[in-house]
Short mmCIF file of all heavy atoms in Angstrom, two decimals:
data_model
loop_
_atom_site.label_atom_id
_atom_site.label_comp_id
_atom_site.label_asym_id
_atom_site.label_seq_id
_atom_site.Cartn_x
_atom_site.Cartn_y
_atom_site.Cartn_z
N VAL U 81 -32.78 -28.01 96.01
CA VAL U 81 -34.21 -28.31 95.49
C VAL U 81 -34.92 -27.10 95.03
O VAL U 81 -35.54 -26.96 94.03
CB VAL U 81 -34.99 -28.92 96.65
CG1 VAL U 81 -36.47 -29.20 96.26
CG2 VAL U 81 -34.41 -30.35 96.96
N ALA U 84 -33.70 -26.06 91.68
CA ALA U 84 -34.19 -27.07 90.69
C ALA U 84 -35.62 -26.67 90.33
O ALA U 84 -36.01 -26.82 89.16
CB ALA U 84 -33.90 -28.46 91.09
N GLU U 85 -36.36 -26.35 91.36
CA GLU U 85 -37.74 -26.06 91.13
C GLU U 85 -37.89 -24.82 90.19
O GLU U 85 -38.98 -24.75 89.49
CB GLU U 85 -38.55 -25.94 92.49
CG GLU U 85 -38.69 -27.31 93.13
CD GLU U 85 -39.25 -27.17 94.46
OE1 GLU U 85 -39.11 -26.06 95.09
OE2 GLU U 85 -39.94 -28.13 95.06
N ALA U 86 -36.97 -23.91 90.34
CA ALA U 86 -37.14 -22.67 89.63
C ALA U 86 -37.09 -22.99 88.06
O ALA U 86 -37.67 -22.19 87.34
CB ALA U 86 -35.94 -21.74 89.93
N PHE U 87 -36.43 -24.07 87.70
CA PHE U 87 -36.35 -24.43 86.26
C PHE U 87 -37.58 -25.13 85.72
O PHE U 87 -37.57 -25.38 84.42
CB PHE U 87 -35.07 -25.22 86.02
CG PHE U 87 -33.81 -24.40 86.26
CD1 PHE U 87 -33.10 -24.66 87.38
CD2 PHE U 87 -33.41 -23.52 85.27
CE1 PHE U 87 -31.86 -24.00 87.63
CE2 PHE U 87 -32.14 -22.80 85.54
CZ PHE U 87 -31.39 -23.10 86.74
N LEU U 88 -38.57 -25.25 86.56
CA LEU U 88 -39.95 -25.82 86.15
C LEU U 88 -40.66 -24.65 85.46
O LEU U 88 -41.60 -24.82 84.69
CB LEU U 88 -40.66 -26.32 87.22
CG LEU U 88 -40.16 -27.56 87.80
CD1 LEU U 88 -40.92 -27.91 89.12
CD2 LEU U 88 -40.23 -28.77 86.91
N GLY U 89 -40.11 -23.45 85.71
CA GLY U 89 -40.71 -22.25 85.14
C GLY U 89 -39.81 -21.85 83.85
O GLY U 89 -38.93 -22.34 83.53
N PRO U 95 -39.98 -23.76 80.21
CA PRO U 95 -39.31 -24.61 81.32
C PRO U 95 -38.11 -25.45 80.76
O PRO U 95 -38.24 -25.87 79.63
CB PRO U 95 -40.53 -25.61 81.65
CG PRO U 95 -41.81 -24.84 81.17
CD PRO U 95 -41.35 -24.02 80.05
N TYR U 97 -37.31 -28.25 81.99
CA TYR U 97 -37.83 -29.65 81.97
C TYR U 97 -39.14 -29.60 82.51
O TYR U 97 -39.66 -28.62 83.19
CB TYR U 97 -36.97 -30.66 82.83
CG TYR U 97 -36.32 -30.04 84.13
CD1 TYR U 97 -37.05 -29.29 85.00
CD2 TYR U 97 -35.06 -30.44 84.55
CE1 TYR U 97 -36.52 -28.70 86.22
CE2 TYR U 97 -34.49 -29.87 85.74
CZ TYR U 97 -35.21 -29.11 86.43
OH TYR U 97 -34.65 -28.64 87.59
N ALA U 98 -39.96 -30.67 82.22
CA ALA U 98 -41.32 -30.75 82.85
C ALA U 98 -41.22 -31.22 84.25
O ALA U 98 -42.02 -31.08 85.06
CB ALA U 98 -42.13 -31.85 81.94
N GLY U 99 -40.16 -32.05 84.53
CA GLY U 99 -39.98 -32.42 85.94
C GLY U 99 -38.52 -33.23 86.01
O GLY U 99 -37.85 -33.23 84.99
N ALA U 100 -38.23 -33.53 87.18
CA ALA U 100 -36.85 -34.18 87.40
C ALA U 100 -36.82 -34.93 88.77
O ALA U 100 -37.74 -34.63 89.61
CB ALA U 100 -35.78 -33.02 87.41
N VAL U 101 -35.92 -35.83 88.81
CA VAL U 101 -35.73 -36.50 90.15
C VAL U 101 -34.26 -36.11 90.46
O VAL U 101 -33.27 -36.30 89.66
CB VAL U 101 -35.71 -38.04 89.98
CG1 VAL U 101 -35.40 -38.64 91.35
CG2 VAL U 101 -37.22 -38.35 89.62
N LEU U 102 -34.09 -35.55 91.64
CA LEU U 102 -32.69 -35.12 92.16
C LEU U 102 -32.15 -36.10 93.22
O LEU U 102 -33.00 -36.40 94.08
CB LEU U 102 -32.96 -33.72 92.80
CG LEU U 102 -33.66 -32.80 91.95
CD1 LEU U 102 -34.07 -31.47 92.79
CD2 LEU U 102 -32.96 -32.28 90.69
N HIS U 114 -35.34 -36.46 95.71
CA HIS U 114 -36.49 -35.71 95.66
C HIS U 114 -37.01 -35.50 94.18
O HIS U 114 -36.33 -35.15 93.36
CB HIS U 114 -36.19 -34.21 96.21
CG HIS U 114 -37.26 -33.48 96.52
ND1 HIS U 114 -38.13 -33.56 97.63
CD2 HIS U 114 -37.88 -32.42 95.68
CE1 HIS U 114 -39.17 -32.64 97.66
NE2 HIS U 114 -38.89 -31.93 96.35
N PRO U 115 -38.26 -35.85 94.05
CA PRO U 115 -38.78 -35.62 92.69
C PRO U 115 -39.45 -34.29 92.59
O PRO U 115 -40.10 -33.74 93.58
CB PRO U 115 -39.87 -36.69 92.63
CG PRO U 115 -40.37 -37.04 94.03
CD PRO U 115 -39.19 -36.56 94.93
N ILE U 116 -39.50 -33.68 91.47
CA ILE U 116 -40.18 -32.43 91.17
C ILE U 116 -40.95 -32.44 89.91
O ILE U 116 -40.47 -33.19 88.98
CB ILE U 116 -39.22 -31.14 91.28
CG1 ILE U 116 -38.17 -31.24 90.16
CG2 ILE U 116 -38.62 -31.00 92.65
CD1 ILE U 116 -37.28 -30.06 90.14
N GLY U 117 -41.99 -31.76 89.72
CA GLY U 117 -42.64 -31.63 88.45
C GLY U 117 -43.39 -32.87 87.91
O GLY U 117 -43.80 -33.82 88.75
N LYS U 118 -43.37 -32.92 86.68
CA LYS U 118 -44.26 -34.02 86.02
C LYS U 118 -43.40 -35.05 85.18
O LYS U 118 -42.42 -34.56 84.37
CB LYS U 118 -45.35 -33.35 85.05
CG LYS U 118 -46.25 -32.38 85.70
CD LYS U 118 -47.17 -33.21 86.56
CE LYS U 118 -48.35 -32.26 87.08
NZ LYS U 118 -49.31 -32.87 87.79
N ALA U 119 -43.64 -36.26 85.27
CA ALA U 119 -43.04 -37.19 84.45
C ALA U 119 -43.68 -37.24 83.14
O ALA U 119 -43.00 -37.43 82.04
CB ALA U 119 -43.14 -38.62 85.01
N VAL U 120 -44.90 -37.04 83.08
CA VAL U 120 -45.76 -36.90 81.88
C VAL U 120 -46.71 -35.75 81.89
O VAL U 120 -47.51 -35.68 82.78
CB VAL U 120 -46.56 -38.18 81.53
CG1 VAL U 120 -47.29 -38.07 80.25
CG2 VAL U 120 -45.57 -39.38 81.51
N ARG U 121 -46.52 -34.80 81.04
CA ARG U 121 -47.36 -33.56 81.14
C ARG U 121 -47.99 -33.31 79.73
O ARG U 121 -49.10 -32.80 79.65
CB ARG U 121 -46.58 -32.39 81.53
CG ARG U 121 -47.38 -31.10 81.57
CD ARG U 121 -46.52 -29.95 82.14
NE ARG U 121 -47.15 -28.62 82.16
CZ ARG U 121 -46.68 -27.51 82.64
NH1 ARG U 121 -45.46 -27.43 83.00
NH2 ARG U 121 -47.43 -26.44 82.56
N TYR U 122 -47.21 -33.41 78.63
CA TYR U 122 -47.67 -32.92 77.35
C TYR U 122 -47.99 -34.11 76.45
O TYR U 122 -47.23 -35.10 76.42
CB TYR U 122 -46.56 -32.04 76.68
CG TYR U 122 -45.98 -30.96 77.51
CD1 TYR U 122 -44.79 -31.01 78.17
CD2 TYR U 122 -46.77 -29.82 77.84
CE1 TYR U 122 -44.33 -30.02 79.04
CE2 TYR U 122 -46.43 -28.74 78.63
CZ TYR U 122 -45.11 -28.90 79.11
OH TYR U 122 -44.59 -27.85 80.02
N GLN U 140 -52.09 -36.59 83.51
CA GLN U 140 -50.71 -36.25 83.78
C GLN U 140 -50.19 -37.01 84.88
O GLN U 140 -50.87 -37.49 85.88
CB GLN U 140 -50.63 -34.71 83.97
CG GLN U 140 -50.99 -33.90 82.90
CD GLN U 140 -50.75 -32.38 83.15
OE1 GLN U 140 -50.02 -32.02 84.11
NE2 GLN U 140 -51.63 -31.58 82.48
N ILE U 141 -48.89 -37.38 84.87
CA ILE U 141 -48.20 -38.24 85.88
C ILE U 141 -47.06 -37.40 86.54
O ILE U 141 -46.18 -36.84 85.90
CB ILE U 141 -47.68 -39.44 85.23
CG1 ILE U 141 -48.75 -40.22 84.57
CG2 ILE U 141 -46.91 -40.38 86.21
CD1 ILE U 141 -48.27 -41.44 83.68
N ALA U 142 -47.27 -37.35 87.89
CA ALA U 142 -46.21 -36.63 88.68
C ALA U 142 -44.87 -37.43 88.75
O ALA U 142 -44.92 -38.66 88.64
CB ALA U 142 -46.66 -36.42 90.10
N MET U 143 -43.74 -36.71 88.86
CA MET U 143 -42.51 -37.41 89.11
C MET U 143 -42.57 -38.10 90.43
O MET U 143 -43.21 -37.69 91.38
CB MET U 143 -41.35 -36.41 89.04
CG MET U 143 -40.84 -35.92 87.72
SD MET U 143 -40.13 -37.33 86.83
CE MET U 143 -39.69 -36.34 85.37
N ALA U 144 -41.80 -39.25 90.46
CA ALA U 144 -41.66 -40.00 91.72
C ALA U 144 -40.33 -40.39 91.80
O ALA U 144 -39.44 -40.34 90.95
CB ALA U 144 -42.55 -41.30 91.63
N LYS U 145 -39.95 -40.81 93.06
CA LYS U 145 -38.53 -41.20 93.27
C LYS U 145 -37.99 -42.26 92.35
O LYS U 145 -36.91 -42.29 91.99
CB LYS U 145 -38.26 -41.62 94.69
CG LYS U 145 -38.42 -40.46 95.74
CD LYS U 145 -38.16 -40.98 97.15
CE LYS U 145 -38.16 -39.89 98.17
NZ LYS U 145 -37.86 -40.38 99.52
N THR U 147 -39.22 -42.99 89.25
CA THR U 147 -39.49 -42.74 87.87
C THR U 147 -38.33 -43.22 87.03
O THR U 147 -37.11 -42.97 87.38
CB THR U 147 -39.73 -41.25 87.56
OG1 THR U 147 -40.92 -40.85 88.24
CG2 THR U 147 -39.98 -41.01 86.06
N PHE U 149 -36.15 -43.22 83.58
CA PHE U 149 -35.70 -42.17 82.59
C PHE U 149 -34.90 -42.86 81.43
O PHE U 149 -34.14 -43.82 81.63
CB PHE U 149 -34.78 -41.05 83.23
CG PHE U 149 -35.60 -40.10 84.02
CD1 PHE U 149 -35.88 -40.41 85.36
CD2 PHE U 149 -35.87 -38.84 83.53
CE1 PHE U 149 -36.44 -39.51 86.08
CE2 PHE U 149 -36.63 -37.97 84.35
CZ PHE U 149 -36.98 -38.26 85.66
N ALA U 289 -40.65 -41.58 82.48
CA ALA U 289 -40.79 -40.12 82.01
C ALA U 289 -40.84 -40.03 80.42
O ALA U 289 -40.12 -40.73 79.84
CB ALA U 289 -39.58 -39.37 82.48
N LEU U 418 -31.97 -36.19 86.93
CA LEU U 418 -32.56 -36.85 85.81
C LEU U 418 -33.77 -36.11 85.45
O LEU U 418 -34.79 -35.99 86.15
CB LEU U 418 -33.07 -38.26 86.21
CG LEU U 418 -31.88 -39.24 86.54
CD1 LEU U 418 -32.41 -40.66 86.85
CD2 LEU U 418 -30.83 -39.35 85.47
N GLY U 419 -33.86 -35.41 84.27
CA GLY U 419 -34.88 -34.50 83.89
C GLY U 419 -35.38 -34.95 82.50
O GLY U 419 -34.74 -35.57 81.76
N ASN U 420 -36.62 -34.64 82.19
CA ASN U 420 -37.06 -34.91 80.74
C ASN U 420 -37.22 -33.51 80.13
O ASN U 420 -38.29 -32.95 79.75
CB ASN U 420 -38.61 -35.56 80.86
CG ASN U 420 -39.48 -34.84 81.73
OD1 ASN U 420 -39.21 -33.84 82.49
ND2 ASN U 420 -40.77 -35.28 81.73
N HIS U 423 -39.12 -32.81 76.69
CA HIS U 423 -40.56 -33.00 76.81
C HIS U 423 -41.16 -31.52 77.02
O HIS U 423 -41.08 -30.91 78.00
CB HIS U 423 -40.89 -33.81 77.98
CG HIS U 423 -42.34 -34.15 78.13
ND1 HIS U 423 -43.14 -34.71 77.14
CD2 HIS U 423 -43.24 -34.13 79.23
CE1 HIS U 423 -44.41 -34.95 77.64
NE2 HIS U 423 -44.44 -34.48 78.88
#
Side-chain angles (χ1 to χ4, degrees):
V81 175
E85 289 175 335
F87 293 103
L88 295 170
Y97 38 40
V101 178
L102 315 166
H114 191 80
I116 60 173
K118 302 286 186 179
V120 180
R121 179 176 177 180
Y122 308 109
Q140 296 182 24
I141 301 175
M143 279 296 179
K145 289 182 178 181
T147 295
F149 286 81
L418 299 184
N420 52 354
H423 185 52

